[in-house]
Amino acid sequence: MTNPSPSNAEPARILLVEDNPGDIRLTKEAFKRGRIEIELDVVSDGVDALEFLSQEGEYADAPRPDLVLLDLNLPRMNGDEVLEELQDDPALRRIPVIVLTSSQAEEDVITSYDLRANAYLTKPVDPDAFIETVRTFEKFWFSMVRLPPEDDSA
């Protein structure tokens, strides 16, 4: 995909993997305030994230996201396990994954990067700061970064 901009017809697609309803609401609010059109899909655990990305089960018709926002603390399969599965799958490993979590533990940062996360963001506790973090992320990843094309050979 080419980077979306206000003049492009195609919105950026993001898969948010998050089980906290408050954080989901804040993330949606932040993207509404942004300048880039975002199509946001949400799943609440790691198993659903992998099914969505692999277009399996109820997600057979799911669109391929341009980027994944991944919480680490998830039910059924945590974020580290999701990262590990993504890296083992040639069809999915090119999708950029941004860890967006409340954990500030150095061990979580190291593990996320070892598992090839593209960035690690700590969720601010303050709702306004949270929204600003998401908007800054949006601007950087969709205005400045060139995202990889979908790998059609896999």
Side-chain angles (χ1 to χ4, degrees):
M1 110 155 245
T2 57
N3 288 351
S5 69
S7 62
N8 283 8
E10 188 178 331
R13 294 212 71 102
I14 296 177
L15 175 62
L16 174 62
V17 187
E18 173 62 67
D19 65 325
N20 180 317
D23 289 348
I24 293 169
R25 184 181 49 76
L26 285 173
T27 303
K28 287 179 177 180
E29 178 66 27
F31 286 135
K32 277 187 204 170
R33 293 184 188 184
R35 295 180 181 195
I36 296 166
E37 187 178 348
I38 301 287
E39 292 288 333
L40 186 68
D41 294 295
V42 181
V43 295
S44 61
D45 66 59
V47 173
D48 283 349
L50 290 175
E51 287 180 3
F52 185 100
L53 292 166
S54 300
Q55 297 175 315
E56 296 173 351
E58 69 177 286
Y59 302 107
D61 295 327
R64 180 182 174 94
D66 299 307
L67 191 139
V68 175
L69 274 177
L70 177 68
D71 188 19
L72 292 181
N73 304 309
L74 297 166
R76 298 204 298 162
M77 176 184 278
N78 69 36
D80 290 343
E81 293 168 318
V82 172
L83 283 168
E84 201 167 336
E85 291 286 329
L86 292 177
Q87 290 314 308
D88 289 342
D89 188 331
L92 301 176
R93 72 170 59 132
R94 280 194 195 164
I95 300 172
V97 178
I98 311 306
V99 172
L100 180 62
T101 188
S102 57
S103 173
Q104 296 184 25
E106 189 171 304
E107 177 182 318
D108 287 340
V109 176
I110 292 168
T111 300
S112 293
Y113 282 114
D114 283 349
L115 293 171
R116 305 284 190 240
N118 297 90
Y120 189 102
L121 300 173
T122 303
K123 296 176 190 174
V125 176
D126 176 70
D128 291 331
F130 183 98
I131 288 172
E132 187 56 35
T133 296
V134 172
R135 290 186 67 203
T136 300
F137 142 83
E138 172 193 51
K139 182 178 179 184
F140 176 75
W141 280 94
F142 292 111
S143 295
M144 303 186 78
V145 172
R146 183 170 177 188
L147 297 172
E150 183 173 338
D151 184 3
D152 294 329
S153 66

mmCIF file of all heavy atoms in Angstrom, residues 1 7 9 23-24 26 28 33 44 48 51-52 57 71-72 100 102 115 141 143:
data_model
loop_
_atom_site.group_PDB
_atom_site.id
_atom_site.type_symbol
_atom_site.label_atom_id
_atom_site.label_comp_id
_atom_site.label_asym_id
_atom_site.label_seq_id
_atom_site.Cartn_x
_atom_site.Cartn_y
_atom_site.Cartn_z
ATOM 1 N N MET A 1 0.838 -1.186 0.000
ATOM 2 C CA MET A 1 0.000 0.000 0.000
ATOM 3 C C MET A 1 0.865 1.224 0.000
ATOM 4 O O MET A 1 1.932 1.234 0.579
ATOM 5 C CB MET A 1 -0.939 -0.085 1.203
ATOM 6 C CG MET A 1 -0.663 0.893 2.322
ATOM 7 S SD MET A 1 -2.120 1.224 3.276
ATOM 8 C CE MET A 1 -2.302 2.939 2.884
ATOM 9 N N SER A 7 -5.598 13.182 0.638
ATOM 10 C CA SER A 7 -6.048 13.188 -0.753
ATOM 11 C C SER A 7 -6.228 11.778 -1.311
ATOM 12 O O SER A 7 -6.836 11.613 -2.351
ATOM 13 C CB SER A 7 -5.044 13.960 -1.612
ATOM 14 O OG SER A 7 -3.791 13.326 -1.566
ATOM 15 N N ALA A 9 -7.808 8.095 -1.746
ATOM 16 C CA ALA A 9 -9.145 7.560 -1.551
ATOM 17 C C ALA A 9 -9.130 6.387 -0.570
ATOM 18 O O ALA A 9 -10.112 6.125 0.091
ATOM 19 C CB ALA A 9 -9.719 7.127 -2.889
ATOM 20 N N ASP A 23 -9.603 1.713 26.658
ATOM 21 C CA ASP A 23 -8.503 1.983 25.727
ATOM 22 C C ASP A 23 -8.970 1.897 24.272
ATOM 23 O O ASP A 23 -8.497 2.643 23.415
ATOM 24 C CB ASP A 23 -7.342 1.033 25.974
ATOM 25 C CG ASP A 23 -6.611 1.331 27.285
ATOM 26 O OD1 ASP A 23 -6.859 2.401 27.883
ATOM 27 O OD2 ASP A 23 -5.797 0.494 27.706
ATOM 28 N N ILE A 24 -9.909 1.004 24.004
ATOM 29 C CA ILE A 24 -10.476 0.924 22.651
ATOM 30 C C ILE A 24 -11.191 2.233 22.322
ATOM 31 O O ILE A 24 -10.992 2.811 21.253
ATOM 32 C CB ILE A 24 -11.441 -0.276 22.525
ATOM 33 C CG1 ILE A 24 -10.671 -1.592 22.642
ATOM 34 C CG2 ILE A 24 -12.219 -0.212 21.206
ATOM 35 C CD1 ILE A 24 -11.558 -2.822 22.799
ATOM 36 N N LEU A 26 -10.735 5.230 23.662
ATOM 37 C CA LEU A 26 -9.769 6.329 23.521
ATOM 38 C C LEU A 26 -9.024 6.258 22.187
ATOM 39 O O LEU A 26 -8.763 7.286 21.558
ATOM 40 C CB LEU A 26 -8.777 6.317 24.676
ATOM 41 C CG LEU A 26 -9.291 6.823 26.018
ATOM 42 C CD1 LEU A 26 -8.247 6.583 27.111
ATOM 43 C CD2 LEU A 26 -9.648 8.293 25.947
ATOM 44 N N LYS A 28 -10.133 4.905 19.370
ATOM 45 C CA LYS A 28 -11.074 5.332 18.324
ATOM 46 C C LYS A 28 -11.220 6.854 18.316
ATOM 47 O O LYS A 28 -11.239 7.474 17.251
ATOM 48 C CB LYS A 28 -12.442 4.674 18.539
ATOM 49 C CG LYS A 28 -12.466 3.206 18.192
ATOM 50 C CD LYS A 28 -13.843 2.615 18.447
ATOM 51 C CE LYS A 28 -13.909 1.163 18.025
ATOM 52 N NZ LYS A 28 -15.245 0.581 18.278
ATOM 53 N N ARG A 33 -9.997 12.203 15.628
ATOM 54 C CA ARG A 33 -9.434 13.552 15.661
ATOM 55 C C ARG A 33 -8.271 13.726 14.689
ATOM 56 O O ARG A 33 -7.822 14.839 14.454
ATOM 57 C CB ARG A 33 -8.919 13.874 17.068
ATOM 58 C CG ARG A 33 -9.999 13.976 18.102
ATOM 59 C CD ARG A 33 -9.385 14.378 19.412
ATOM 60 N NE ARG A 33 -10.324 14.321 20.515
ATOM 61 C CZ ARG A 33 -10.035 14.700 21.738
ATOM 62 N NH1 ARG A 33 -8.827 15.149 22.037
ATOM 63 N NH2 ARG A 33 -10.928 14.613 22.685
ATOM 64 N N SER A 44 -10.271 -8.645 20.618
ATOM 65 C CA SER A 44 -9.970 -8.482 22.032
ATOM 66 C C SER A 44 -9.027 -9.528 22.622
ATOM 67 O O SER A 44 -8.788 -9.523 23.827
ATOM 68 C CB SER A 44 -11.272 -8.459 22.842
ATOM 69 O OG SER A 44 -11.963 -9.675 22.662
ATOM 70 N N ASP A 48 -7.993 -14.363 18.471
ATOM 71 C CA ASP A 48 -8.782 -13.674 17.440
ATOM 72 C C ASP A 48 -7.888 -12.845 16.520
ATOM 73 O O ASP A 48 -8.153 -12.734 15.321
ATOM 74 C CB ASP A 48 -9.850 -12.786 18.073
ATOM 75 C CG ASP A 48 -11.050 -13.585 18.582
ATOM 76 O OD1 ASP A 48 -11.165 -14.785 18.262
ATOM 77 O OD2 ASP A 48 -11.874 -12.999 19.304
ATOM 78 N N GLU A 51 -6.436 -15.214 13.973
ATOM 79 C CA GLU A 51 -7.482 -15.651 13.049
ATOM 80 C C GLU A 51 -7.843 -14.521 12.085
ATOM 81 O O GLU A 51 -8.046 -14.754 10.893
ATOM 82 C CB GLU A 51 -8.714 -16.130 13.809
ATOM 83 C CG GLU A 51 -8.501 -17.469 14.491
ATOM 84 C CD GLU A 51 -9.716 -17.957 15.265
ATOM 85 O OE1 GLU A 51 -10.777 -17.289 15.239
ATOM 86 O OE2 GLU A 51 -9.603 -19.024 15.894
ATOM 87 N N PHE A 52 -7.920 -13.287 12.596
ATOM 88 C CA PHE A 52 -8.214 -12.122 11.750
ATOM 89 C C PHE A 52 -7.121 -11.973 10.689
ATOM 90 O O PHE A 52 -7.410 -11.848 9.498
ATOM 91 C CB PHE A 52 -8.292 -10.863 12.613
ATOM 92 C CG PHE A 52 -8.708 -9.631 11.858
ATOM 93 C CD1 PHE A 52 -10.016 -9.175 11.929
ATOM 94 C CD2 PHE A 52 -7.802 -8.911 11.090
ATOM 95 C CE1 PHE A 52 -10.409 -8.034 11.246
ATOM 96 C CE2 PHE A 52 -8.189 -7.776 10.401
ATOM 97 C CZ PHE A 52 -9.498 -7.337 10.471
ATOM 98 N N GLY A 57 -11.857 -18.729 9.996
ATOM 99 C CA GLY A 57 -13.086 -18.760 10.782
ATOM 100 C C GLY A 57 -13.990 -17.585 10.475
ATOM 101 O O GLY A 57 -14.223 -17.255 9.306
ATOM 102 N N ASP A 71 -1.666 -4.876 22.172
ATOM 103 C CA ASP A 71 -1.462 -4.857 23.614
ATOM 104 C C ASP A 71 -0.745 -6.148 23.992
ATOM 105 O O ASP A 71 -0.880 -7.160 23.307
ATOM 106 C CB ASP A 71 -2.817 -4.760 24.326
ATOM 107 C CG ASP A 71 -2.693 -4.536 25.824
ATOM 108 O OD1 ASP A 71 -1.614 -4.102 26.283
ATOM 109 O OD2 ASP A 71 -3.673 -4.795 26.542
ATOM 110 N N LEU A 72 0.027 -6.125 25.072
ATOM 111 C CA LEU A 72 0.724 -7.336 25.511
ATOM 112 C C LEU A 72 -0.137 -8.192 26.429
ATOM 113 O O LEU A 72 -0.065 -9.418 26.392
ATOM 114 C CB LEU A 72 2.030 -6.982 26.233
ATOM 115 C CG LEU A 72 3.135 -6.378 25.379
ATOM 116 C CD1 LEU A 72 4.371 -6.110 26.231
ATOM 117 C CD2 LEU A 72 3.486 -7.280 24.199
ATOM 118 N N LEU A 100 1.427 -1.427 21.950
ATOM 119 C CA LEU A 100 0.833 -0.309 22.681
ATOM 120 C C LEU A 100 0.286 -0.897 23.969
ATOM 121 O O LEU A 100 -0.761 -1.554 23.973
ATOM 122 C CB LEU A 100 -0.279 0.351 21.862
ATOM 123 C CG LEU A 100 -0.986 1.540 22.503
ATOM 124 C CD1 LEU A 100 -0.010 2.686 22.772
ATOM 125 C CD2 LEU A 100 -2.139 2.009 21.633
ATOM 126 N N SER A 102 0.400 -0.947 28.624
ATOM 127 C CA SER A 102 0.609 -0.203 29.869
ATOM 128 C C SER A 102 1.913 -0.583 30.548
ATOM 129 O O SER A 102 2.376 0.114 31.447
ATOM 130 C CB SER A 102 -0.572 -0.435 30.819
ATOM 131 O OG SER A 102 -0.735 -1.815 31.052
ATOM 132 N N LEU A 115 11.220 -10.097 19.501
ATOM 133 C CA LEU A 115 10.208 -10.769 18.688
ATOM 134 C C LEU A 115 9.816 -9.941 17.459
ATOM 135 O O LEU A 115 8.820 -10.209 16.812
ATOM 136 C CB LEU A 115 8.976 -11.083 19.546
ATOM 137 C CG LEU A 115 9.218 -12.126 20.639
ATOM 138 C CD1 LEU A 115 8.019 -12.218 21.576
ATOM 139 C CD2 LEU A 115 9.528 -13.494 20.026
ATOM 140 N N TRP A 141 3.525 7.033 11.489
ATOM 141 C CA TRP A 141 3.433 5.794 10.722
ATOM 142 C C TRP A 141 2.718 5.950 9.393
ATOM 143 O O TRP A 141 2.963 5.185 8.462
ATOM 144 C CB TRP A 141 2.783 4.697 11.557
ATOM 145 C CG TRP A 141 3.793 4.100 12.481
ATOM 146 C CD1 TRP A 141 4.024 4.453 13.770
ATOM 147 C CD2 TRP A 141 4.767 3.112 12.162
ATOM 148 N NE1 TRP A 141 5.073 3.726 14.273
ATOM 149 C CE2 TRP A 141 5.550 2.889 13.312
ATOM 150 C CE3 TRP A 141 5.063 2.378 11.019
ATOM 151 C CZ2 TRP A 141 6.587 1.975 13.344
ATOM 152 C CZ3 TRP A 141 6.094 1.456 11.065
ATOM 153 C CH2 TRP A 141 6.844 1.268 12.212
ATOM 154 N N SER A 143 2.299 9.137 7.720
ATOM 155 C CA SER A 143 2.730 10.296 6.946
ATOM 156 C C SER A 143 4.200 10.216 6.575
ATOM 157 O O SER A 143 4.608 10.742 5.555
ATOM 158 C CB SER A 143 2.498 11.585 7.736
ATOM 159 O OG SER A 143 1.132 11.794 7.948
#
